[in-house]
């Protein structure tokens, strides 16, 4: 997946998913960490190239990935 907008625009799109979490700056990329202690799913975004990657348990990641693709421009 790709997103070439600003961090603020991505934050607004992720907020539409209804998954409580917080953003963490990780050097070359930004990471959205879900606050749900039952999951290890993270959203990583590299602003320079626009790459978006969900990482973590595939069983927990699939629904979130589909929802994210639906809100991306």
């Amino acid at each position: 997946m790709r997103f070439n907008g600003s961090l603020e625009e991505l934050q607004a799109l992720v907020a539409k998913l209804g998954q409580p979490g917080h953003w963490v700056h990780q050097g070359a990329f930004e990471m959205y960490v879900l606050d749900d202690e039952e999951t290890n799913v993270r959203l990583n975004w590299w602003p320079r190239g626009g790459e978006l990657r969900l990482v973590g348990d595939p069983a927990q990641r699939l629904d979130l990935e589909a929802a994210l693709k639906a809100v991306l421009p």
Side-chain angles (χ1 to χ4, degrees):
M1 289 182 288
R2 293 229 175 269
F3 179 77
N4 292 313
S6 69
L7 175 59
E8 293 78 18
E9 291 169 324
L10 181 58
Q11 288 171 332
L13 292 174
V14 170
K16 292 180 181 181
L17 301 178
Q19 296 288 326
H22 60 279
W23 288 90
V24 178
H25 177 70
Q26 293 290 320
F29 68 96
E30 304 292 334
M31 178 171 56
Y32 187 70
V33 180
L34 297 178
D35 289 339
D36 183 354
E37 294 179 7
E38 300 294 318
T39 185
N40 67 348
V41 174
R42 308 284 188 263
L43 172 64
N44 297 330
W45 177 58
W46 287 263
R48 185 170 212 145
E51 182 181 356
L52 271 175
R53 186 181 311 156
L54 280 165
V55 296
D57 184 348
Q60 297 174 334
R61 193 175 70 215
L62 294 176
D63 289 340
L64 186 58
E65 186 171 348
L68 182 59
K69 285 179 179 179
V71 299
L72 288 174

